[in-house]
Amino acid sequence: MDQPGITCISRRSFIAGSALAFASLGFGLYGCAEPADNGAAHVNRGKAAKRADQYFENGTIATVNDQDDIVEALAVKDGRIVFAGSAADGQAYKDVAGSVVDLQGSFVLPGLIEGHIHSGSPDFFDFSLVGLSTAEEELAAIKEYVDAHPEKDTYLGYGYMASLYPGEELEKGPKKERLDEISPDKPLLVYSFDGHGAWLNSKAFAYLGITPDTPSTPGGTIYKDADGGLWGTLADSAMSLTSKYPVNQENVADGLAAFLQGLNALGYTSLFTPPGNGFFPVPYEGYQALADRDELTMRVRGAGIVTSWQTDEDLAKLEELKKKYDGDALKVIAGKIFVDGVMDNESALLSEPYTDDPSSYGETGWEQDALNQAVAAINRTGMLAHIHAIGDEAVTMGLDAIEYAEQNVPDDDERNAITHLQLVKEGDVPRFAELEVTAVADPYWHFKEPQYWESKESPALGERAEKMYPMKSFADAGATLVSASDFPVTSNPNPFYAMQFGVTRNLVDGEPYGVPNITDMDDPAYLLWPEERVDIKRMIRSFTADAAWALGLEGETGTLEPGKSADFIVVDQNVLDADPLAIKDTKVLATYLRGEKIFDAAQATDPKE
């Protein structure tokens, strides 16, 4: 609920008034107190002081408000900010505060918001291959687990990378025979790191009833060999055929609690979590169990899936989810639509053919009219459409569908979004601002990734691989720009890594790839389209104020202003002044949600110990 005296302008109004001026805004010293009842000015300092439970001082506090003001102190009452301003103006709050916290010169930001993350606790899988860099390492890890657990009836893993395998496997994914050698008698299934592929052995195909004659879903592929037999992998929407494969659902709430604690330690206080492609549902029951136990340490916003082959059924399920999960802590607000696939499978939908396969433009499971109707139907329910689009033609389809909804849904003010955005036509960029479409970017991918860009993206896209993932263009056009990890596609959702990627468009950490770190942000080896670099202020907004607006939370969180929830983080360096190559080194010291400390680095234990 908007607080008296707090103005929440529309994103369109804000864009119109300040898009061009954004880059020149400075950080001034700002002081304000909680608006009094009925809008009257506070003149009784004693009365103001009585309204503070906690007082935070001696810090550099970035409010991320419309003026990007910096303040020295915060006062909190009943989980909400009642004062943000100078130390002198805050003295009355300090005098009678229940507790006074000395920030000791630390830097404070609003609680961070994850714009697109899958709720995939490692507890849901038997093993993970994330971080392994060769096919041999992956196969050895799978064999080690299977050999160590002969008591299990089925095996389920996550994280293979098709780009590590040779020849035709690079395109189709690894063969089933590799898994048959490891587990000849029991079903074994491994999902790809990007959530768009499933690798099965022969027993897993049989367990699921998938044969060479099984029809695929629209926009999906059941890969076959030259003789028409099952190759070993399913791509994109065909992964829905694995939905009945056993997943560890024991202790889901506890697994989620650990997952959220990890995100709290990275500075997150809110997230948006959509379902994945066929196999990665949102564990709403687990989230609700945590909420019922008052143990949900995150403000969660979620989505349901809407497919092209059972749209009406999916829309009905989506409305049920909306009714069932409609609280402050947990709320379903969106319908997730996959317009295309991914670059790994060359199923991303392009406007021009793939360079290494001139006969292919990629895939979509949607006709434009059906997509138009689906987006409009989602908006009519009062929910936003959250659209997966990797290729530039898929982005156009998404924008066209949103434009249709704008024109055909009365009073449509839903904040629709398109995510991933690997390739975008130049002419489509301004449409994001014109249609108030949120650009949900994945800055973790905005560089030439070692062992991947050269082996996959460059051959597949040719010259287009030099101009992937626009970001500054969206900001310059006045679009709402939100950052996200797409975890577990990105294995480390550290937001300060993302901020450095956005600022440098270059390698952040060479260790996972076995390459040296760069010492110059202009080092050409991994530098991708440097003209699309975004300044640190905009990167921060993409995790705070703009992300809050995109999720309809701007009246509640995203900035540090009186009336807002006291969601904030304390970190060990002023990110605004940090060397661009040192942004990633930022450490979270404490995380607060509604004024309650939900992470304290001083008391945290190393999970490796």
Side-chain angles (χ1 to χ4, degrees):
M1 179 183 299
D2 294 343
Q3 301 298 310
I6 299 295
T7 301
C8 297
I9 60 175
S10 73
R11 177 60 42 174
R12 183 168 288 166
S13 299
F14 173 73
I15 289 168
S18 61
L20 296 178
F22 178 85
S24 64
L25 287 177
F27 287 90
L29 186 64
Y30 172 77
C32 63
E34 180 188 31
D37 294 341
N38 301 319
H42 263 301
V43 294
N44 187 328
R45 290 169 63 87
K47 179 181 177 181
K50 293 178 182 178
R51 294 178 62 83
D53 297 325
Q54 302 163 287
Y55 186 77
F56 299 83
E57 64 176 356
N58 297 330
T60 301
I61 302 169
T63 65
V64 198
N65 63 6
D66 289 344
Q67 293 75 40
D68 278 330
D69 290 315
I70 295 291
V71 302
E72 298 171 318
L74 287 177
V76 176
K77 173 69 174 177
D78 295 331
R80 291 193 173 273
I81 298 168
V82 294
F83 170 82
S86 69
D89 289 342
Q91 187 64 42
Y93 292 91
K94 177 181 178 181
D95 288 344
V96 294
S99 66
V100 176
V101 179
D102 186 349
L103 295 169
Q104 300 180 359
S106 298
F107 189 63
V108 176
L109 285 167
L112 304 182
I113 301 171
E114 232 293 359
H116 178 118
I117 184 170
H118 299 291
S119 302
S121 168
D123 295 335
F124 298 168
F125 300 95
D126 294 327
F127 58 86
S128 171
L129 307 178
V130 172
L132 303 181
S133 57
T134 68
E136 290 72 23
E137 289 178 351
E138 289 193 351
L139 292 166
I142 298 170
K143 187 176 190 309
E144 180 180 1
Y145 183 86
V146 170
D147 289 349
H149 295 83
E151 77 284 359
K152 293 185 69 68
D153 294 325
T154 62
Y155 300 101
L156 178 66
Y158 168 80
Y160 81 85
M161 292 183 64
S163 61
L164 300 180
Y165 293 82
E168 202 171 355
E169 289 179 295
L170 179 64
E171 175 188 350
K172 294 182 176 180
K175 296 179 178 180
K176 67 180 185 300
E177 286 80 9
R178 292 184 182 269
L179 296 183
D180 287 344
E181 291 180 11
I182 295 171
S183 180
D185 302 319
K186 296 179 181 180
L188 171 56
L189 188 154
V190 188
Y191 291 113
S192 66
F193 82 100
D194 61 4
H196 285 261
W199 177 20
L200 296 79
N201 71 348
S202 297
K203 289 294 183 179
F205 278 117
Y207 180 93
L208 294 168
I210 300 172
T211 72
D213 296 325
T214 300
S216 181
T217 51
T221 303
I222 302 173
Y223 280 110
K224 311 285 181 60
D225 59 28
D227 298 324
L230 293 169
W231 177 271
T233 52
L234 309 173
D236 297 311
S237 69
M239 290 173 60
S240 61
L241 299 173
T242 71
S243 62
K244 295 181 180 179
Y245 197 85
V247 178
N248 178 16
Q249 291 295 327
E250 297 179 4
N251 302 317
V252 169
D254 293 338
L256 280 176
F259 169 68
L260 295 180
Q261 287 166 12
L263 294 178
N264 296 150
L266 293 175
Y268 292 109
T269 57
S270 301
L271 61 80
F272 174 75
T273 182
N277 195 25
F279 79 99
F280 230 114
V282 179
Y284 286 117
E285 293 85 356
Y287 277 124
Q288 187 62 59
L290 290 176
D292 292 343
R293 289 164 14 195
D294 198 25
E295 296 175 3
L296 187 54
T297 60
M298 193 77 64
R299 188 177 283 103
V300 178
R301 296 296 179 265
I305 195 76
V306 178
T307 65
S308 62
W309 60 91
Q310 52 182 30
T311 306
D312 291 342
E313 179 182 342
D314 289 337
L315 288 168
K317 291 179 180 178
L318 181 60
E319 291 214 58
E320 291 175 5
L321 286 174
K322 181 190 177 190
K323 293 176 183 177
K324 186 173 182 180
Y325 303 108
D326 190 29
D328 173 63
L330 173 61
K331 188 180 184 72
V332 171
I333 64 168
K336 169 76 176 292
I337 294 176
F338 286 90
V339 174
D340 66 348
V342 291
M343 202 59 64
D344 288 71
N345 302 329
E346 297 198 4
S347 56
L349 186 66
L350 309 182
S351 58
E352 299 292 336
Y354 282 89
T355 300
D356 59 356
D357 184 3
S359 67
S360 174
Y361 288 77
E363 300 174 6
T364 180
W366 290 91
E367 297 292 338
Q368 185 67 57
D369 182 64
L371 182 62
N372 295 350
Q373 299 301 328
V375 172
I378 292 170
N379 286 174
R380 286 190 191 98
T381 68
M383 288 184 280
L384 65 90
H386 188 84
I387 297 173
H388 164 113
I390 296 282
D392 55 353
E393 194 62 29
V395 174
T396 298
M397 288 184 67
L399 289 169
D400 287 351
I402 291 170
E403 184 171 7
Y404 174 88
E406 288 262 330
Q407 295 170 349
N408 290 275
V409 180
D411 303 319
D412 181 19
D413 59 357
E414 301 310 320
R415 298 166 185 185
N416 298 304
I418 301 180
T419 188
H420 306 321
L421 304 165
Q422 185 164 357
L423 294 177
V424 182
K425 300 172 188 175
E426 185 176 353
D428 276 342
V429 170
R431 297 180 69 195
F432 279 77
E434 293 163 4
L435 297 170
E436 290 192 299
V437 178
T438 303
V440 182
D442 301 285
Y444 302 85
W445 311 342
H446 294 190
F447 73 116
K448 294 179 179 177
E449 184 176 355
Q451 290 104 47
Y452 184 70
W453 186 86
E454 289 186 353
S455 67
K456 187 62 191 179
E457 291 172 323
S458 182
L461 298 175
E463 293 182 358
R464 291 169 292 184
E466 298 285 350
K467 291 192 173 182
M468 302 186 301
Y469 300 115
M471 200 164 183
K472 185 174 184 294
S473 294
F474 289 122
D476 289 347
T480 303
L481 183 61
V482 170
S483 288
S485 68
D486 198 22
F487 173 89
V489 178
T490 298
S491 60
N492 178 8
N494 186 324
F496 297 101
Y497 275 53
M499 291 181 196
Q500 181 165 320
F501 277 122
V503 169
T504 68
R505 307 276 299 189
N506 214 328
L507 181 72
V508 166
D509 183 8
E511 183 177 358
Y513 306 104
V515 301
N517 284 330
I518 61 173
T519 57
D520 178 356
M521 65 184 287
D522 293 318
D523 187 320
Y526 311 109
L527 180 62
L528 176 65
W529 203 5
E531 292 81 7
E532 288 297 314
R533 286 170 169 160
V534 177
D535 67 39
I536 186 61
K537 294 180 189 178
R538 192 62 185 237
M539 286 306 303
I540 291 171
R541 294 191 71 86
S542 73
F543 278 105
T544 55
D546 286 354
W549 183 89
L551 300 180
L553 291 169
E554 74 276 16
E556 185 71 13
T557 192
T559 64
L560 300 179
E561 301 177 89
K564 298 286 186 73
S565 178
D567 304 347
F568 61 92
I569 63 173
V570 183
V571 300
D572 67 346
Q573 69 167 332
N574 185 333
V575 183
L576 296 168
D577 296 336
D579 182 318
L581 295 182
I583 296 172
K584 70 177 186 300
D585 300 323
T586 305
K587 299 295 187 297
V588 177
L589 305 177
T591 302
Y592 291 80
L593 176 66
R594 303 183 185 93
E596 179 182 352
K597 186 185 289 186
I598 55 174
F599 170 74
D600 186 344
Q603 298 180 6
T605 58
D606 188 340
K608 296 178 183 179
E609 294 180 354

